[in-house]
Amino acid sequence: MRVAVVGVVGRLGRALVAALEGAPLTGGRPPIGWDQPELELDTVTAASFGALLDRERPEAVIHTAAWTDVDANAREPELAMRRNGTAVGEIARACAARGTDLVFISSNEVFDGRRTDGLGYRPDDPRNPINPYGAAKARAELLASEAFAGSAGRLAIVRTAWLFGPPGNDFPAKIAAAALRARAVGERLRVTGDEVGTPTYAPDLAAAIVALVGVDRPPVPGSVAIHHLVNGGRASRADWAREVLRALAIEVEVVDVPAATWERASTPPLWAVLEPTPLPSGVPMRPWREALADAVPALRRDLAG
Ligand SMILES: NC(=O)c1ccc[n+]([C@@H]2O[C@H](COP(=O)([O-])OP(=O)(O)OC[C@H]3O[C@@H](n4cnc5c(N)ncnc54)[C@H](OP(=O)(O)O)[C@@H]3O)[C@@H](O)[C@H]2O)c1
């Protein structure tokens, strides 16, 4: 199977390239990779993306590229809607017209995070974004779904949350660096305690997506499947920080503070928990703490460097 990945230099994109290279479904061939400047979310159209499809002829496209700085999205909502919303509609229209399958990576931020019943969001729960990044992702889901109505191709919307992993500069790396700074001046580390979600290791997510592309074949062309793919378990940001520091043996006390403590351009949905959907193997993604252990050697190297 010929698979194209949009956004190959991103955290998830590079994990997908590695997962696809070793996957039986690609016969070990590296995926086709698109990124800037060949593909620019500000300007992509169904015609320009269609030209890429006609040139490389993939059977499936995994669209990971996005403007992921949620605060920058909040400061420039129109640009956010273009890059994370309407650009996805253009890509979806090009795929749908050719019967090419599309996997679009979306986010827990399509939900408002105001849930109080302790349950994770399910795929059919109503979208109600509370910030421009989430609004753009929600619009993208709708545009892609509309594009695939009646198409010979299939659309999979994969919602995930709280990604971490190579190449670093993620929440664990930022917490470790902040803790070292706090320790140097004898301070405690203040971390949000009322924002709860599931840290998700990009290589684990990539493996799950590849499994879906290879095995999950909805019988009805033009169908739309929504998947919630996250590691197992849940944690507050502060819990996550404590686990990172424990794994790195950095002794700094973490103090829970409310999200409202931080003045931010974007409003994070406080309940970021997604109810995971089943994978073709029937085996759920492993708990996030186990996945974090795999990320620790790279975190240590980065701190030492
Ligand atoms: N990170 C999270 O916690 C999280 C949570 C839920 C969902 N998601 C979604 O998961 C997907 C992957 O996230 P990630 O963490 O891997 O993102 P990432 O590391 O920020 O990578 C984003 C990718 O998009 C590309 N990109 C950004 N702006 C672009 C533009 N204007 N035109 C073309 N390409 C552009 C980047 O290329 P350059 O580096 O060249 O700019 C990069 O390849 C995204 O769709 C994201 O919205 C992420």
Side-chain angles (χ1 to χ4, degrees):
M1 190 175 188
R2 281 173 69 75
V3 180
V5 176
V6 184
V8 269
V9 303
R11 192 179 313 286
L12 179 58
R14 63 181 68 203
L16 274 166
V17 170
L20 285 163
E21 274 171 354
L25 90 142
T26 61
R29 276 182 305 180
I32 302 152
W34 291 316
D35 225 310
Q36 298 178 85
E38 189 171 30
L39 187 135
E40 173 53 64
L41 295 172
D42 296 32
T43 52
V44 68
T45 62
S48 68
F49 195 73
L52 290 178
L53 293 176
D54 293 341
R55 191 183 78 196
E56 303 286 353
R57 301 196 171 280
E59 293 150 87
V61 171
I62 308 175
H63 177 48
T64 77
W67 193 27
T68 52
D69 180 339
V70 293
D71 291 315
N73 275 245
R75 286 188 292 270
E76 291 188 79
E78 281 174 19
L79 190 55
M81 187 53 79
R82 166 67 210 176
R83 289 180 175 168
N84 293 334
T86 51
V88 182
E90 298 294 322
I91 288 169
R93 283 204 291 130
C95 290
R98 289 161 181 77
T100 307
D101 291 350
L102 174 64
V103 179
F104 161 56
I105 314 302
S106 189
S107 165
N108 67 286
E109 300 221 11
V110 301
F111 299 118
D112 60 23
R114 295 187 183 124
R115 196 167 189 140
T116 54
D117 59 6
L119 300 175
Y121 285 100
R122 291 186 309 266
D124 56 356
D125 282 333
R127 302 173 185 94
N128 188 27
I130 56 168
N131 61 50
Y133 171 81
K137 286 287 191 184
R139 181 90 186 118
E141 291 188 358
L142 289 174
L143 290 173
S145 302
E146 280 167 20
F148 269 81
S151 164
R154 290 160 301 207
L155 171 66
I157 294 169
V158 169
R159 295 187 187 130
T160 189
W162 293 19
L163 286 188
F164 71 100
N169 194 30
D170 50 6
F171 181 82
K174 288 173 186 165
I175 284 295
L180 292 179
R181 284 194 301 273
R183 190 173 66 183
V185 292
E187 283 184 359
R188 302 183 298 172
L189 193 63
R190 289 145 36 94
V191 184
T192 306
D194 57 354
E195 200 187 331
V196 177
T198 301
T200 298
Y201 189 45
D204 287 1
L205 174 61
I209 292 169
V210 171
L212 282 180
V213 172
V215 185
D216 188 33
R217 319 289 290 171
V220 186
S223 69
V224 180
I226 301 182
H227 304 272
H228 284 183
L229 301 186
V230 285
N231 280 115
R234 54 182 71 160
S236 69
R237 292 267 180 198
D239 294 335
W240 189 10
R242 276 188 276 269
E243 192 66 17
V244 168
L245 299 186
R246 194 195 55 75
L248 292 169
I250 299 175
E251 286 180 17
V252 169
E253 189 185 344
V254 172
V255 183
D256 290 45
V257 295
T261 308
W262 313 112
E263 211 165 290
R264 293 186 58 174
S266 188
T267 309
L270 292 183
W271 187 250
V273 178
L274 297 174
E275 176 69 26
T277 51
L279 284 167
S281 64
V283 180
M285 285 168 68
R286 62 183 167 159
W288 69 267
R289 284 186 169 80
E290 262 179 47
L292 178 64
D294 280 8
V296 163
L299 273 171
R300 280 218 180 90
R301 270 197 306 277
D302 289 351
L303 283 177

